[in-house]
Amino acid sequence: MTDMKHSIMKNPLMILLLGATPALAATTDVRSAIGMGGAVLVILVLSNIITFLLKNKIAHETKLATNVLIVTGVVSVVQMLMAAFLPSIYNMLGLYVAIVAVVALTSRQTDLADEAQSVGEAAKYAVSAGLTLLVVMVIVAAIRELLGSGSIAGVELAFLANYKISAMVKAPGAYIVLAIVAAVMSKMGKEKEDK
Amino acid sequence: MDNTFVAVLLAGILANNYAIQNFLGIDTVLGNYTTANKSCKLGLLVTAVMVISTVICWPLQTYVLNSMAYLQTLAFVVVVLIVTEIVQKLAYSMTQKLMGEGFVMLAVNGAVLGLMIQNAELGFGEALISSVGVGLGFMAAMTVFASLRERVEDEFVPKAFRGLPVSLLIAAMMSLVLFAF
């Protein structure tokens, strides 16, 4: 069982599937992608460490609920910190920072932290998942922002001003770009396996 | 009066579909590998969770949380968790048949929490109608998605696109269809 879970978390496509909400919603703009990806990374690392430290203190029956509450507590802290120090990015993300509390990725990660042998191992899972999501989100956001609003991280590119594809910043564009990026990742992963 | 209610209901189901258009709870829809028939029933249970949670969360927001906005996320997640557990206990035989123990993980999703946060700014009647609409929209998204995925046979999909990428392309087509509204 544990081995299966580990192989699932090593698969970057699985991380994308579980973290699809932030990966799709916060990628209209490179700045919001970096903000959201960074927030998810911090939330995953902190909640995994806290879950690991508390794992022997919590009864098995209430584990699911307490893990969700630990993540939500961390999310509230991150929300307040972002509202205080990064208000422009926080306003851009809207309610999606709060949603990270109930995204499947965080609960799957705290499951892993429960089974980890040491704090370092629990943090390692969180860092690898968070970094994967962050990198993919920045790539997707760069493509969507370039094609959809003709800019990169808010800097307008003059030669693209007349070639904006408005669907790219809306929902279908998000799905299509993420699908292509995921397909490329899956192809690269397979080639690595073959070698 | 009646017209706005119908508009709010239809917006939740079609134009403002939470899972497909706003990505709230899309991870639940993409990661749900049950059949269309089961997805439909699960969607109905999620709708029940949404409506009951709204009945609790809206007064909580209006009378208690206005002075303590920083507790909003935590309070709403606690309410949604408790309501989900209660719904699971009430419909125990049904959820066991459909999902086993996974129902809590499925029902505590982004769509429910996002709905609670957005409902906090509406009137009570409107919030209630919108929770029914969004719940039915979520059910529709899950059912349509599950039945579409059953029809996409893996053999005809290029190797690199199997699994998640082709699911995302199905979702892209669903969101293009919903743009028509």
Side-chain angles (χ1 to χ4, degrees), chain A residues 13-14 16-21 24-26 64-66 68-69 72-73 75-76 79-80 95-96 98-99 101-105 107 144 167 170-176 178-180 182-184 186-187 190, chain B residues 19-28 30-31 33 70-75 77-78 81 85 101 104-105 108-111 113-115 117-118 159-162 164-166 168-169 171-173 175-176 179:
Chain A
L13 286 191
M14 200 64 201
L16 274 194
L17 168 62
L18 297 172
T21 308
L24 290 163
L64 206 157
T66 43
V68 173
L69 290 183
T72 314
V75 167
S76 300
Q79 258 184 310
M80 282 180 249
L95 56 77
Y96 288 102
I99 300 301
V102 288
V103 161
L105 181 63
S107 56
R144 283 182 70 193
K170 295 197 178 104
Y175 290 116
I176 292 169
L178 188 62
I180 293 170
V184 171
S186 135
K187 180 85 181 158
K190 285 219 180 74
Chain B
I20 301 297
Q21 298 292 58
N22 295 345
F23 313 120
L24 294 166
I26 185 71
D27 45 341
T28 311
L30 292 175
Y33 281 94
Y70 56 91
L71 277 179
Q72 195 193 43
T73 315
L74 205 53
V77 169
V78 172
L81 261 177
E85 291 282 357
E101 294 296 326
V104 176
M105 284 325 308
V108 182
N109 61 37
L113 186 61
L115 177 73
I117 294 172
Q118 306 226 311
K159 249 187 199 153
F161 273 88
R162 278 176 203 172
L164 176 69
V166 80
L168 285 166
L169 288 179
M173 278 183 261
S175 79
L176 276 175
F179 255 114

Side-chain angles (χ1 to χ4, degrees), chain A residues 73-100:
Chain A
V74 174
V75 167
S76 300
V77 172
V78 170
Q79 258 184 310
M80 282 180 249
L81 287 174
M82 281 182 88
F85 295 109
L86 301 164
S88 60
I89 289 177
Y90 183 69
N91 290 336
M92 225 189 267
L93 294 173
L95 56 77
Y96 288 102
V97 186
I99 300 301
V100 176

